[in-house]
Amino acid sequence: MPSLSASLVRGAVTSPFKRAGRDGATLPAVRLTLPAAPVAPGPLATYRRICGFTGPGSTAGSGREATGHPPPLTYPHVLAFPLAMRLMTGRAFPLPVVGLVHTWIEITRHRTAYIDEPLELTVYAAELAPHRRGTEVTMATEARVAGTLVWESRSGYLSRHATAPGAGTDADTQAGPGTDAEAATGTDAEAGARDGAAAGAGAGGGGRSPAVRPSPPATGGLPPVAEWRLPGDLGRRYGAASGDRNPIHLYPLTARLFGFPRAIAHGMWTVARCLAEAGEPERIRHVRAGFRAPVLLPATVTYAADAAGGAFELRDGGGRLHLTGTITRDA
């Protein structure tokens, strides 16, 4: 397993030598793969607890994961993230990882994979496209069992830079003016972009046709379902469970180095927590989510969803959106 810490250091070193938006930039035509291996039950049980997955899947009271149940839909993304960061901080990757903003994610389960099935993980960069706020890269992660694709994700990451008027083909639905950005040195940077903030994240390199970019609804008016009080150490606890110890999530002091008054919650935690709250997470086969604004810790947030359970959002007490998304379940 590649070291996420080493990738963060490499990203900080190489980013000053890369310039987003340069003519002729191309993505590395390489796929990075982790050999097939069963999911480790201990770390998975910890991940389930911190994200609120309390249904089938864990042996009650033992901290052990039952082998007859699938991991949460978001978990393969967590397993592959260090490998993705290795690709994105490599010399051939055209964008500086310091400054990338994670604007959306789309995950699809093609068939249920259980934790005792050896899972092969592959990451690659699927597409590089002009965006009206800069350049967007679409990152892909795939999971296979015995050579069969069982799970995949697509993520959009925006490298912000000056563009000509009218440049770019993508409507900026996640990164509107006046919203915050997650500043980072190389992990999942969620939210709408604030000028001058730096962020980072990734997966990795070249092959299949990318999925259509999702545009989750920005309703801000779904009925409330639950209120969560998030502790100040949530970033440290999730970082220990996921391996994502980005300094912006850990302490107020380290977050202030990147322009935030306090530590912020991981965006991938907010997605996972919403899926857990949605109920029957083992039946969710597709989710798409747009990151709108970071959650400053500690915080009180409201999870809201429509009556059918298809659309959801996370917002603060004033109605400001942190996350919007849609869910599709098995029939």
Side-chain angles (χ1 to χ4, degrees), residues 104-186:
W104 59 267
I105 186 167
E106 182 173 28
I107 304 175
T108 302
R109 172 177 56 82
H110 296 290
R111 82 131 166 107
T112 298
Y114 299 96
I115 72 166
D116 53 351
E117 293 184 288
L119 205 62
E120 178 187 87
L121 297 167
T122 300
V123 297
Y124 59 92
E127 183 185 16
L128 193 67
H131 187 285
R132 69 184 183 90
R133 289 180 178 270
T135 301
E136 184 182 69
V137 61
T138 298
M139 313 304 299
T141 304
E142 298 177 348
R144 287 177 170 80
V145 173
T148 299
L149 182 68
V150 297
W151 178 101
E152 63 183 322
S153 73
R154 296 288 187 274
S155 290
Y157 299 97
L158 176 63
S159 181
R160 289 169 55 83
H161 57 81
T163 61
T169 58
D170 193 7
D172 190 4
T173 58
Q174 276 79 42
T179 57
D180 294 326
E182 202 181 271
T185 51

Side-chain angles (χ1 to χ4, degrees), residues 267 270-271 274 289-293 312-315 321-325:
T270 64
V271 174
C274 286
F291 300 110
R292 301 275 179 176
F312 67 91
E313 61 192 27
L314 195 67
R315 59 185 188 244
L321 288 172
H322 295 294
L323 179 75
T324 62

Side-chain angles (χ1 to χ4, degrees), residues 13 51 53 68 104 116 171 177 188 229 252 276:
V13 170
C51 295
F53 292 100
W104 59 267
D116 53 351
D188 70 328
R229 294 185 178 180

Side-chain angles (χ1 to χ4, degrees), residues 35-331:
V39 175
L44 175 55
T46 302
Y47 176 85
R48 289 177 60 91
R49 286 196 301 273
I50 192 66
C51 295
F53 292 100
T54 57
S58 297
T59 303
S62 70
R64 297 177 58 192
E65 193 75 12
T67 59
H69 296 280
L73 187 67
T74 49
Y75 197 60
H77 183 91
V78 171
L79 293 177
F81 190 69
L83 188 67
M85 280 301 303
R86 186 174 128 192
L87 189 149
M88 294 186 74
T89 57
R91 188 174 299 175
F93 194 78
L95 302 178
V97 73
V98 176
L100 288 184
V101 179
H102 191 180
T103 53
W104 59 267
I105 186 167
E106 182 173 28
I107 304 175
T108 302
R109 172 177 56 82
H110 296 290
R111 82 131 166 107
T112 298
Y114 299 96
I115 72 166
D116 53 351
E117 293 184 288
L119 205 62
E120 178 187 87
L121 297 167
T122 300
V123 297
Y124 59 92
E127 183 185 16
L128 193 67
H131 187 285
R132 69 184 183 90
R133 289 180 178 270
T135 301
E136 184 182 69
V137 61
T138 298
M139 313 304 299
T141 304
E142 298 177 348
R144 287 177 170 80
V145 173
T148 299
L149 182 68
V150 297
W151 178 101
E152 63 183 322
S153 73
R154 296 288 187 274
S155 290
Y157 299 97
L158 176 63
S159 181
R160 289 169 55 83
H161 57 81
T163 61
T169 58
D170 193 7
D172 190 4
T173 58
Q174 276 79 42
T179 57
D180 294 326
E182 202 181 271
T185 51
T187 56
D188 70 328
E190 293 75 30
R194 178 181 61 200
D195 291 338
R208 1 176 339 164
S209 298
V212 175
R213 293 184 187 87
S215 299
T219 64
L222 296 177
V225 174
E227 185 177 87
W228 306 330
R229 294 185 178 180
L230 311 183
D233 67 348
L234 176 61
R236 297 193 293 276
R237 292 167 57 199
Y238 179 81
S242 67
D244 184 353
R245 294 182 174 86
N246 188 324
I248 61 174
H249 302 302
L250 303 181
Y251 299 97
L253 178 61
T254 55
R256 281 196 292 270
L257 296 175
F258 298 94
F260 293 93
R262 305 194 301 275
I264 63 177
H266 292 72
M268 287 304 298
W269 178 87
T270 64
V271 174
R273 183 67 185 89
C274 286
L275 297 189
E277 188 69 39
E280 298 183 295
E282 67 281 357
R283 291 186 54 231
I284 298 173
R285 62 179 174 85
H286 179 83
V287 62
R288 59 183 187 180
F291 300 110
R292 301 275 179 176
V295 179
L296 296 171
L297 299 172
T300 298
V301 295
T302 297
Y303 168 79
D306 63 11
F312 67 91
E313 61 192 27
L314 195 67
R315 59 185 188 244
D316 66 13
R320 183 188 190 203
L321 288 172
H322 295 294
L323 179 75
T324 62
T326 58
I327 291 173
T328 304
R329 301 176 185 273
D330 291 330

